[in-house]
Amino acid sequence: MGNTNPVSKCVVIQLPQIKNPSGNITPISSNMEIPFKIKRVYYLYDVPGGETRGGHAHKELYQLLVAASGSFDVILDDCKETKTITLNRPNYGLLIVPGIWRELVNFSSGSVSLVVVSLLYDEVDYIRNYKDFLKYKNEI
Ligand code: T46
């Protein structure tokens, strides 16, 4: 499904922000702010300084990554092009389409990465070896 997707299909989406002097709210709803039905939500936290997460691609999974707190960089790679996106605002999310290798780096201290995704957890959907990713993208 995702083997032909280019990095250019991964876009930063501005999410709604309901502002209030007592604090803001950002809602994310299936097929509204994002182009998929949400099946799972998880968050990365307590990431030690200098640590890298990701280092894989998905075959069918769509996801939205949000820096709910702090900041981090996402390196996207489709075998032809790489692009680095910095996420540092809780009302902006990065849509990652299937078939894109991603690495999450430069986590700020105490940062929290909120991730909403289109599928339940299934290891079968992961490509965790870069050589397998090149084969999947028909590059070797
Ligand atoms: C992604 C990036 C942004 C589960 O059992 N259930 C889950 O829902 C998840 C997400 C992970 N796990 C297990 C699988 C591994 O044994 O938790 C362990 C660590 O997972 P992983 O090495 O995939 O973690 P990250 O941070 O490298 O990647 C995660 C997501 O897996 C991935 O889809 O895009 O966050």
PDB file of all heavy atoms in Angstrom, residues 65-87:
ATOM      1  N   LEU A  65       1.830  12.752  14.520  1.00  0.00           N
ATOM      2  CA  LEU A  65       2.747  12.961  15.648  1.00  0.00           C
ATOM      3  C   LEU A  65       2.611  14.396  16.127  1.00  0.00           C
ATOM      4  O   LEU A  65       2.682  15.327  15.316  1.00  0.00           O
ATOM      5  CB  LEU A  65       4.188  12.792  15.172  1.00  0.00           C
ATOM      6  CG  LEU A  65       4.929  11.500  15.502  1.00  0.00           C
ATOM      7  CD1 LEU A  65       4.387  10.389  14.649  1.00  0.00           C
ATOM      8  CD2 LEU A  65       6.396  11.696  15.244  1.00  0.00           C
ATOM      9  N   VAL A  66       2.474  14.565  17.425  1.00  0.00           N
ATOM     10  CA  VAL A  66       2.347  15.904  17.997  1.00  0.00           C
ATOM     11  C   VAL A  66       3.324  16.038  19.168  1.00  0.00           C
ATOM     12  O   VAL A  66       3.424  15.123  19.998  1.00  0.00           O
ATOM     13  CB  VAL A  66       0.902  16.139  18.520  1.00  0.00           C
ATOM     14  CG1 VAL A  66       0.773  17.509  19.162  1.00  0.00           C
ATOM     15  CG2 VAL A  66      -0.121  15.974  17.401  1.00  0.00           C
ATOM     16  N   ALA A  67       4.043  17.145  19.212  1.00  0.00           N
ATOM     17  CA  ALA A  67       4.856  17.436  20.400  1.00  0.00           C
ATOM     18  C   ALA A  67       3.901  18.041  21.434  1.00  0.00           C
ATOM     19  O   ALA A  67       3.691  19.254  21.470  1.00  0.00           O
ATOM     20  CB  ALA A  67       5.985  18.402  20.052  1.00  0.00           C
ATOM     21  N   ALA A  68       3.277  17.177  22.226  1.00  0.00           N
ATOM     22  CA  ALA A  68       2.304  17.655  23.220  1.00  0.00           C
ATOM     23  C   ALA A  68       3.001  18.545  24.239  1.00  0.00           C
ATOM     24  O   ALA A  68       2.408  19.459  24.808  1.00  0.00           O
ATOM     25  CB  ALA A  68       1.632  16.458  23.896  1.00  0.00           C
ATOM     26  N   SER A  69       4.285  18.264  24.466  1.00  0.00           N
ATOM     27  CA  SER A  69       5.106  19.105  25.340  1.00  0.00           C
ATOM     28  C   SER A  69       6.548  19.044  24.843  1.00  0.00           C
ATOM     29  O   SER A  69       6.992  17.991  24.368  1.00  0.00           O
ATOM     30  CB  SER A  69       5.000  18.575  26.776  1.00  0.00           C
ATOM     31  OG  SER A  69       5.729  19.408  27.640  1.00  0.00           O
ATOM     32  N   GLY A  70       7.257  20.164  24.898  1.00  0.00           N
ATOM     33  CA  GLY A  70       8.653  20.176  24.464  1.00  0.00           C
ATOM     34  C   GLY A  70       8.787  20.083  22.957  1.00  0.00           C
ATOM     35  O   GLY A  70       7.894  20.516  22.210  1.00  0.00           O
ATOM     36  N   SER A  71       9.894  19.504  22.505  1.00  0.00           N
ATOM     37  CA  SER A  71      10.148  19.459  21.067  1.00  0.00           C
ATOM     38  C   SER A  71      10.987  18.234  20.706  1.00  0.00           C
ATOM     39  O   SER A  71      11.644  17.635  21.551  1.00  0.00           O
ATOM     40  CB  SER A  71      10.890  20.726  20.629  1.00  0.00           C
ATOM     41  OG  SER A  71      12.169  20.764  21.233  1.00  0.00           O
ATOM     42  N   PHE A  72      10.927  17.882  19.421  1.00  0.00           N
ATOM     43  CA  PHE A  72      11.785  16.833  18.857  1.00  0.00           C
ATOM     44  C   PHE A  72      11.775  16.985  17.346  1.00  0.00           C
ATOM     45  O   PHE A  72      10.916  17.690  16.794  1.00  0.00           O
ATOM     46  CB  PHE A  72      11.334  15.430  19.300  1.00  0.00           C
ATOM     47  CG  PHE A  72       9.909  15.100  18.968  1.00  0.00           C
ATOM     48  CD1 PHE A  72       9.564  14.468  17.782  1.00  0.00           C
ATOM     49  CD2 PHE A  72       8.880  15.442  19.843  1.00  0.00           C
ATOM     50  CE1 PHE A  72       8.246  14.175  17.475  1.00  0.00           C
ATOM     51  CE2 PHE A  72       7.554  15.153  19.544  1.00  0.00           C
ATOM     52  CZ  PHE A  72       7.243  14.515  18.366  1.00  0.00           C
ATOM     53  N   ASP A  73      12.742  16.355  16.693  1.00  0.00           N
ATOM     54  CA  ASP A  73      12.820  16.388  15.232  1.00  0.00           C
ATOM     55  C   ASP A  73      12.422  15.023  14.669  1.00  0.00           C
ATOM     56  O   ASP A  73      12.739  13.985  15.271  1.00  0.00           O
ATOM     57  CB  ASP A  73      14.255  16.697  14.768  1.00  0.00           C
ATOM     58  CG  ASP A  73      14.710  18.092  15.157  1.00  0.00           C
ATOM     59  OD1 ASP A  73      13.843  18.973  15.342  1.00  0.00           O
ATOM     60  OD2 ASP A  73      15.935  18.296  15.285  1.00  0.00           O
ATOM     61  N   VAL A  74      11.769  15.049  13.519  1.00  0.00           N
ATOM     62  CA  VAL A  74      11.408  13.808  12.834  1.00  0.00           C
ATOM     63  C   VAL A  74      12.112  13.799  11.474  1.00  0.00           C
ATOM     64  O   VAL A  74      11.920  14.723  10.676  1.00  0.00           O
ATOM     65  CB  VAL A  74       9.880  13.697  12.611  1.00  0.00           C
ATOM     66  CG1 VAL A  74       9.521  12.332  12.048  1.00  0.00           C
ATOM     67  CG2 VAL A  74       9.115  13.977  13.902  1.00  0.00           C
ATOM     68  N   ILE A  75      12.919  12.778  11.241  1.00  0.00           N
ATOM     69  CA  ILE A  75      13.596  12.636   9.940  1.00  0.00           C
ATOM     70  C   ILE A  75      12.784  11.644   9.105  1.00  0.00           C
ATOM     71  O   ILE A  75      12.572  10.509   9.530  1.00  0.00           O
ATOM     72  CB  ILE A  75      15.044  12.133  10.118  1.00  0.00           C
ATOM     73  CG1 ILE A  75      15.808  13.058  11.064  1.00  0.00           C
ATOM     74  CG2 ILE A  75      15.749  12.039   8.768  1.00  0.00           C
ATOM     75  CD1 ILE A  75      17.136  12.475  11.547  1.00  0.00           C
ATOM     76  N   LEU A  76      12.308  12.122   7.955  1.00  0.00           N
ATOM     77  CA  LEU A  76      11.487  11.309   7.056  1.00  0.00           C
ATOM     78  C   LEU A  76      12.328  10.897   5.854  1.00  0.00           C
ATOM     79  O   LEU A  76      13.117  11.703   5.343  1.00  0.00           O
ATOM     80  CB  LEU A  76      10.285  12.120   6.580  1.00  0.00           C
ATOM     81  CG  LEU A  76       9.369  12.677   7.675  1.00  0.00           C
ATOM     82  CD1 LEU A  76       8.385  13.680   7.070  1.00  0.00           C
ATOM     83  CD2 LEU A  76       8.631  11.556   8.381  1.00  0.00           C
ATOM     84  N   ASP A  77      12.113   9.677   5.369  1.00  0.00           N
ATOM     85  CA  ASP A  77      12.957   9.151   4.289  1.00  0.00           C
ATOM     86  C   ASP A  77      12.112   8.212   3.426  1.00  0.00           C
ATOM     87  O   ASP A  77      11.482   7.281   3.956  1.00  0.00           O
ATOM     88  CB  ASP A  77      14.131   8.405   4.956  1.00  0.00           C
ATOM     89  CG  ASP A  77      15.043   7.696   3.975  1.00  0.00           C
ATOM     90  OD1 ASP A  77      14.813   7.768   2.758  1.00  0.00           O
ATOM     91  OD2 ASP A  77      15.985   7.045   4.449  1.00  0.00           O
ATOM     92  N   ASP A  78      12.064   8.482   2.101  1.00  0.00           N
ATOM     93  CA  ASP A  78      11.338   7.566   1.203  1.00  0.00           C
ATOM     94  C   ASP A  78      12.298   6.845   0.262  1.00  0.00           C
ATOM     95  O   ASP A  78      11.885   6.322  -0.773  1.00  0.00           O
ATOM     96  CB  ASP A  78      10.264   8.323   0.415  1.00  0.00           C
ATOM     97  CG  ASP A  78      10.853   9.422  -0.478  1.00  0.00           C
ATOM     98  OD1 ASP A  78      12.086   9.456  -0.668  1.00  0.00           O
ATOM     99  OD2 ASP A  78      10.084  10.259  -0.998  1.00  0.00           O
ATOM    100  N   CYS A  79      13.575   6.830   0.585  1.00  0.00           N
ATOM    101  CA  CYS A  79      14.676   6.242  -0.205  1.00  0.00           C
ATOM    102  C   CYS A  79      15.212   7.212  -1.253  1.00  0.00           C
ATOM    103  O   CYS A  79      16.322   7.043  -1.743  1.00  0.00           O
ATOM    104  CB  CYS A  79      14.311   4.954  -0.942  1.00  0.00           C
ATOM    105  SG  CYS A  79      13.808   3.645   0.107  1.00  0.00           S
ATOM    106  N   LYS A  80      14.408   8.181  -1.642  1.00  0.00           N
ATOM    107  CA  LYS A  80      14.852   9.145  -2.662  1.00  0.00           C
ATOM    108  C   LYS A  80      15.123  10.506  -2.044  1.00  0.00           C
ATOM    109  O   LYS A  80      15.991  11.237  -2.485  1.00  0.00           O
ATOM    110  CB  LYS A  80      13.784   9.301  -3.747  1.00  0.00           C
ATOM    111  CG  LYS A  80      13.598   8.063  -4.607  1.00  0.00           C
ATOM    112  CD  LYS A  80      12.699   8.374  -5.802  1.00  0.00           C
ATOM    113  CE  LYS A  80      12.719   7.266  -6.838  1.00  0.00           C
ATOM    114  NZ  LYS A  80      12.022   6.064  -6.397  1.00  0.00           N
ATOM    115  N   GLU A  81      14.320  10.825  -1.036  1.00  0.00           N
ATOM    116  CA  GLU A  81      14.403  12.158  -0.413  1.00  0.00           C
ATOM    117  C   GLU A  81      14.335  11.996   1.098  1.00  0.00           C
ATOM    118  O   GLU A  81      13.607  11.131   1.600  1.00  0.00           O
ATOM    119  CB  GLU A  81      13.208  13.005  -0.878  1.00  0.00           C
ATOM    120  CG  GLU A  81      13.232  14.432  -0.380  1.00  0.00           C
ATOM    121  CD  GLU A  81      11.908  15.175  -0.606  1.00  0.00           C
ATOM    122  OE1 GLU A  81      10.978  14.610  -1.187  1.00  0.00           O
ATOM    123  OE2 GLU A  81      11.822  16.329  -0.166  1.00  0.00           O
ATOM    124  N   THR A  82      15.101  12.826   1.817  1.00  0.00           N
ATOM    125  CA  THR A  82      14.936  12.889   3.274  1.00  0.00           C
ATOM    126  C   THR A  82      14.581  14.326   3.644  1.00  0.00           C
ATOM    127  O   THR A  82      14.977  15.279   2.961  1.00  0.00           O
ATOM    128  CB  THR A  82      16.210  12.463   4.043  1.00  0.00           C
ATOM    129  OG1 THR A  82      17.233  13.389   3.765  1.00  0.00           O
ATOM    130  CG2 THR A  82      16.659  11.067   3.710  1.00  0.00           C
ATOM    131  N   LYS A  83      13.822  14.433   4.718  1.00  0.00           N
ATOM    132  CA  LYS A  83      13.363  15.750   5.154  1.00  0.00           C
ATOM    133  C   LYS A  83      13.288  15.720   6.675  1.00  0.00           C
ATOM    134  O   LYS A  83      12.853  14.712   7.249  1.00  0.00           O
ATOM    135  CB  LYS A  83      11.972  15.981   4.566  1.00  0.00           C
ATOM    136  CG  LYS A  83      11.452  17.377   4.661  1.00  0.00           C
ATOM    137  CD  LYS A  83      10.152  17.443   3.855  1.00  0.00           C
ATOM    138  CE  LYS A  83       9.471  18.767   3.982  1.00  0.00           C
ATOM    139  NZ  LYS A  83       8.225  18.788   3.221  1.00  0.00           N
ATOM    140  N   THR A  84      13.701  16.809   7.322  1.00  0.00           N
ATOM    141  CA  THR A  84      13.618  16.879   8.782  1.00  0.00           C
ATOM    142  C   THR A  84      12.582  17.921   9.176  1.00  0.00           C
ATOM    143  O   THR A  84      12.617  19.059   8.697  1.00  0.00           O
ATOM    144  CB  THR A  84      14.995  17.251   9.385  1.00  0.00           C
ATOM    145  OG1 THR A  84      15.944  16.255   8.996  1.00  0.00           O
ATOM    146  CG2 THR A  84      14.916  17.304  10.909  1.00  0.00           C
ATOM    147  N   ILE A  85      11.659  17.486  10.018  1.00  0.00           N
ATOM    148  CA  ILE A  85      10.598  18.385  10.503  1.00  0.00           C
ATOM    149  C   ILE A  85      10.764  18.532  12.017  1.00  0.00           C
ATOM    150  O   ILE A  85      10.875  17.524  12.730  1.00  0.00           O
ATOM    151  CB  ILE A  85       9.196  17.774  10.248  1.00  0.00           C
ATOM    152  CG1 ILE A  85       9.017  17.366   8.787  1.00  0.00           C
ATOM    153  CG2 ILE A  85       8.090  18.705  10.749  1.00  0.00           C
ATOM    154  CD1 ILE A  85       8.588  18.441   7.855  1.00  0.00           C
ATOM    155  N   THR A  86      10.762  19.767  12.488  1.00  0.00           N
ATOM    156  CA  THR A  86      10.796  20.012  13.929  1.00  0.00           C
ATOM    157  C   THR A  86       9.368  20.201  14.428  1.00  0.00           C
ATOM    158  O   THR A  86       8.612  20.996  13.875  1.00  0.00           O
ATOM    159  CB  THR A  86      11.627  21.281  14.241  1.00  0.00           C
ATOM    160  OG1 THR A  86      12.967  21.062  13.798  1.00  0.00           O
ATOM    161  CG2 THR A  86      11.639  21.579  15.740  1.00  0.00           C
ATOM    162  N   LEU A  87       9.026  19.436  15.459  1.00  0.00           N
ATOM    163  CA  LEU A  87       7.714  19.611  16.096  1.00  0.00           C
ATOM    164  C   LEU A  87       7.937  20.231  17.467  1.00  0.00           C
ATOM    165  O   LEU A  87       8.712  19.702  18.275  1.00  0.00           O
ATOM    166  CB  LEU A  87       6.995  18.262  16.215  1.00  0.00           C
ATOM    167  CG  LEU A  87       6.578  17.632  14.882  1.00  0.00           C
ATOM    168  CD1 LEU A  87       5.981  16.250  15.104  1.00  0.00           C
ATOM    169  CD2 LEU A  87       5.594  18.519  14.132  1.00  0.00           C
TER     170      LEU A  87
END
